[in-house]
Amino acid sequence: MKKILSVFMSAIMALSCMVFAIPAEASTELQNGKTVEVMFSQNTPETQTFTYTMPSGGYFYYKVVPTHSIFYDIDGVAHYDTGLYLPETKITYNYKDYATASVFYGQNWQSESYAFKKGAKITISLTDYTDVGLEAYYDVTVYFKKVKNFESENNNSKKTADKISLKKTYTGLMMDGDTDYWVFTAPKTGKYKFSVAEINEGYHNTFYAYKGSKKVKSLYIGGGDGYKTLYKAKLKKGQKIYVKLTDGANGEMYKIKVKKA
């Protein structure tokens, strides 16, 4: 009898573990250019999350559009309204929040631009607090922009620096807390000029040039300044010059190129 009771209790405990081990519903995967309608009510979570997988060779931004709300009165009659706003939306990657904003109806809101390494799983969340009998509706859309010679966003150290070739223009995107490294290897002995530019108005940064571990030049530049010479020197064949940017701001776009001097 004790043996039968023991087996029965073990079965109950196993079933209990199975019940609590049921995983939560997976977040919806957002696709480039495809709009997803999000509805909040008293029966939905206050925060709804979505995932986006980072492609290579470009950057993305997303839009949230408050569309309408529906209030059901005591008789169950629906009343439509457009005077609503989303209290919070944000991007999270590796436990770091990159964007936090409120979105109002008619604002035509879109996030800053972001770029992460290929395959990175980004979380985009929307948070709303609805009253009883109220439904609030929002559209969320992700837009990916492919860019020629764009940084890998795995270039946050000298070991993973993106390579620069002659006569090509490269584009990078800084973010909060971001660091970018680029490296040029002289194909032959000669004089070379490194030019850089901040693309977006209102942004600024300092570019650094390194010969090995030695800093040989720095240049402070702002958006709208056009291309400026970061470094100009004679290099031996095979000699490497690193270019570094750090402590950027979300959405800060820049360009870099190397030519024979």
Side-chain angles (χ1 to χ4, degrees), residues 158-195:
K158 285 186 176 181
K159 290 184 178 180
T160 58
D162 285 329
K163 295 180 180 179
I164 300 173
S165 298
L166 283 173
K167 300 180 180 180
K168 289 185 178 180
T169 300
Y170 296 84
T171 303
L173 178 67
M174 295 298 291
M175 296 178 295
D176 181 31
D178 190 17
T179 298
D180 287 351
Y181 276 94
W182 299 82
V183 60
F184 173 75
T185 304
K188 58 178 64 176
T189 299
K191 291 183 178 180
Y192 298 92
K193 183 174 76 169
F194 294 72
S195 300

Side-chain angles (χ1 to χ4, degrees), residues 95-137:
Y95 305 102
K96 177 180 174 63
D97 294 338
Y98 284 87
T100 301
S102 299
V103 184
F104 292 83
Y105 179 83
Q107 186 180 10
N108 195 26
W109 181 89
Q110 76 174 46
S111 72
E112 298 284 0
S113 299
Y114 298 91
F116 302 92
K117 65 181 180 180
K118 179 183 178 182
K121 284 282 187 180
I122 298 99
T123 298
I124 296 175
S125 61
L126 281 69
T127 300
D128 195 4
Y129 314 99
T130 54
D131 296 325
V132 176
L134 179 68
E135 296 176 355
Y137 292 82

Side-chain angles (χ1 to χ4, degrees), residues 1-7:
M1 181 67 181
K2 289 183 179 180
K3 183 176 182 181
I4 294 175
L5 182 60
S6 176
V7 172

Side-chain angles (χ1 to χ4, degrees), residues 34-145:
K34 294 185 178 180
T35 299
V36 173
E37 183 180 71
V38 186
M39 187 272 281
F40 287 91
S41 72
Q42 66 183 95
N43 299 317
T44 62
E46 290 182 347
T47 297
Q48 298 188 42
T49 60
F50 304 85
T51 57
Y52 178 67
T53 303
M54 188 71 207
S56 62
Y59 63 91
F60 77 93
Y61 60 89
Y62 74 104
K63 291 184 177 182
V64 175
V65 179
T67 58
H68 65 282
S69 62
I70 304 175
F71 175 73
Y72 296 91
D73 63 23
I74 194 170
D75 297 319
V77 178
H79 301 270
Y80 290 79
D81 191 12
T82 56
L84 77 162
Y85 81 104
L86 183 73
E88 181 182 270
T89 180
K90 64 181 179 180
I91 286 178
T92 306
Y93 176 65
N94 272 353
Y95 305 102
K96 177 180 174 63
D97 294 338
Y98 284 87
T100 301
S102 299
V103 184
F104 292 83
Y105 179 83
Q107 186 180 10
N108 195 26
W109 181 89
Q110 76 174 46
S111 72
E112 298 284 0
S113 299
Y114 298 91
F116 302 92
K117 65 181 180 180
K118 179 183 178 182
K121 284 282 187 180
I122 298 99
T123 298
I124 296 175
S125 61
L126 281 69
T127 300
D128 195 4
Y129 314 99
T130 54
D131 296 325
V132 176
L134 179 68
E135 296 176 355
Y137 292 82
Y138 306 91
D139 287 343
V140 57
T141 314
V142 170
Y143 299 91
F144 176 74
K145 298 296 182 181

